[in-house]
Amino acid sequence: MKILSIGYHTIHRSGYSVNRVNGSEDYMLMLTFNPCVFEFADKEIYAEPDSVVLYNKNIPQIFHSDEPYFVYDWICFDTEGDQEFLKSLNIAENTVLRYNDTEFISDLIKNMYSEFYSCSSNRTKMLDVMLKTILMKISESTELTETQKQNTDPHYNELLELRDKIYSNPQIKWTVELMAGEVKMSRSYFQHIYSEIFGISCISDVINCKIEKAKEILSTSQATISQVASMCGYDNEEHFMRQFKKMTGVTPTVYRKNNI
């Protein structure tokens, strides 16, 4: 994730409005502290305080507030090869989301704001980690309020445990059969229910977890590309390199060079 610009507790006086009909070429995450009105597809949506909006690229950004002061935090960013990670979080974009722990998110944005303007050698890595933490917390919150996951799907907890196991063990060669067996479901039903609950296919999720682990190893160790491939469950270095580049847009070697 690459932070392009950021604002912490930005304040505007009464009557403030934004009307970017063409949006922007990056994502924008907003956290509001006052009532305001957003417009999506010509429909106005009233947002209570402690609301979150994640704008996708090139989506009209239209909102206003009639409060004496309009206060909000915001982050403009690009995924830089982390598109699948963002997609896997299944955060509803271009709409108003309620978030209960505003203080936690705002404190992180405050830290990001300070880091963004610092000269720290770990600046890029710190910003990446903090933004991903924010996005995961938002995903976690909005998933659970989504009618408590369709009135709490009876398979939700066991599939969540399986997903945690997958992400904790990227070296395992996870197949549909193996995953379905872990939760004692048929192959077809497992694929259907996994995708329905997490918003991503089980195989795409497995690939995502392996690539995320590979990125971590590449940026924190001197392991060879072959060793990284093996540690992430790949029998074949070439297959790993192809999949890594497909997911991130760069080779493992280039990724390491840019992130050490």
Side-chain angles (χ1 to χ4, degrees):
M1 298 283 185
K2 181 178 181 180
I3 311 301
L4 303 174
S5 54
I6 185 169
Y8 171 71
H9 276 32
T10 299
I11 302 176
H12 294 283
R13 290 184 180 276
S14 176
Y16 177 72
S17 65
V18 168
N19 189 28
R20 302 188 191 102
V21 293
N22 295 317
S24 61
E25 295 182 357
D26 46 67
Y27 290 88
M28 184 169 79
L29 178 69
M30 287 182 61
L31 173 62
T32 68
F33 299 95
N34 306 93
C36 57
V37 177
F38 289 86
E39 183 177 315
F40 299 103
D42 298 324
K43 180 180 179 182
E44 289 192 341
I45 298 178
Y46 175 80
E48 297 179 3
D50 304 336
S51 292
V52 170
V53 172
L54 176 60
Y55 282 105
N56 205 326
K57 298 181 179 182
N58 304 312
I59 295 296
Q61 297 172 1
I62 304 172
F63 54 91
H64 71 271
S65 176
D66 296 322
E67 295 294 302
Y69 292 94
F70 178 45
V71 185
Y72 64 102
D73 296 342
W74 55 274
I75 306 170
C76 291
F77 66 96
D78 204 347
T79 51
E80 285 224 318
D82 283 316
Q83 183 63 39
E84 285 299 317
F85 168 77
L86 181 59
K87 181 180 177 182
S88 72
L89 297 178
N90 203 30
I91 299 173
E93 299 172 348
N94 315 312
T95 191
V96 175
L97 305 172
R98 291 285 296 142
Y99 191 76
N100 296 324
D101 197 357
T102 307
E103 185 176 352
F104 175 83
I105 296 294
S106 191
D107 283 346
L108 268 177
I109 293 177
K110 179 181 180 181
N111 291 332
M112 290 177 68
Y113 183 82
S114 298
E115 193 69 29
F116 184 77
Y117 291 105
S118 76
C119 296
S120 167
S121 59
N122 292 317
R123 172 179 173 275
T124 302
K125 291 180 185 176
M126 290 286 289
L127 290 171
D128 176 74
V129 170
M130 286 191 281
L131 177 56
K132 285 180 177 176
T133 300
I134 288 172
L135 293 171
M136 286 189 288
K137 291 297 289 183
I138 292 172
S139 170
E140 183 180 83
S141 173
T142 54
E143 277 183 358
L144 292 176
T145 56
E146 188 184 290
T147 46
Q148 293 300 307
K149 262 310 183 196
Q150 281 69 53
N151 299 320
T152 318
D153 188 285
H155 302 295
Y156 179 74
N157 288 332
E158 58 182 334
L159 286 175
L160 190 60
E161 288 179 12
L162 171 62
R163 197 184 198 199
D164 286 342
K165 186 174 182 179
I166 291 168
Y167 272 77
S168 299
N169 297 277
Q171 76 282 0
I172 293 177
K173 296 173 179 60
W174 294 102
T175 62
V176 175
E177 289 77 10
L178 177 58
M179 291 183 281
E182 288 279 330
V183 289
K184 298 179 175 57
M185 295 181 190
S186 70
R187 175 190 169 109
S188 59
Y189 181 69
F190 168 75
Q191 288 177 291
H192 167 74
I193 201 70
Y194 193 100
S195 179
E196 184 176 275
I197 287 178
F198 297 120
I200 186 172
S201 73
C202 57
I203 293 300
S204 293
D205 212 13
V206 166
I207 294 171
N208 188 58
C209 94
K210 290 179 182 295
I211 298 304
E212 285 300 311
K213 183 62 177 180
K215 287 161 66 176
E216 177 188 329
I217 298 170
L218 287 166
S219 61
T220 59
S221 79
Q222 295 300 315
T224 66
I225 302 303
S226 179
Q227 288 171 330
V228 175
S230 178
M231 292 163 73
C232 295
Y234 289 89
D235 291 325
N236 177 307
E237 181 179 339
E238 288 72 26
H239 180 211
F240 164 67
M241 292 174 68
R242 283 196 305 272
Q243 204 158 71
F244 189 94
K245 185 172 184 180
K246 180 180 179 181
M247 294 284 288
T248 67
V250 296
T251 65
T253 301
V254 171
Y255 182 86
R256 167 174 275 162
K257 181 180 178 181
N258 294 336
N259 289 274
I260 287 185

